[in-house]
Amino acid sequence: PWNVPTRAAEATLVAVGTLGWDAASRWEAQGAGEVARVLLLNAMLPEPTAAGRGALVGAAGRVLSSVETARLVFSRDASAAEVVRTRLVAAGPR
């Protein structure tokens, strides 16, 4: 998240996904196509040309083919933090 003040540190991207709401927090597998649809609809296009759109789609494809795609479903309590923490521990260092 770019809007959270933190210390500068290096980290490995382990997943890209979407968010959902429900009564119970959980991590679900989600197809790369669905994640790509949401990602591309919300991406900033720095160069509004055919080449710029192609570069954006290419970059999204490279990212989505190199990490897990998932959906974080969370409830209105703090349980989502434990779901994410558990998933990150399971992913381990790469």
Side-chain angles (χ1 to χ4, degrees), residues 1-90:
W2 60 89
N3 61 345
V4 179
T6 62
R7 297 176 306 202
E10 187 172 313
T12 300
L13 181 66
V14 297
V16 174
T18 62
L19 300 173
W21 298 266
D22 199 359
S25 297
R26 62 190 177 276
W27 186 275
E28 302 175 338
Q30 185 172 37
E34 179 60 21
V35 175
R37 184 186 71 77
V38 174
L39 178 67
L40 292 172
L41 287 173
N42 290 283
M44 290 179 50
L45 184 61
E47 184 184 335
T49 64
R53 287 187 295 278
L56 177 63
V57 170
R62 286 187 299 279
V63 167
L64 294 172
S65 67
S66 66
V67 299
E68 177 184 3
T69 53
R71 180 173 181 82
L72 172 62
V73 179
F74 59 95
S75 63
R76 293 182 178 237
D77 60 23
S79 63
E82 187 56 34
V83 168
V84 172
R85 191 175 295 109
T86 299
R87 182 62 196 104
L88 291 175
V89 168

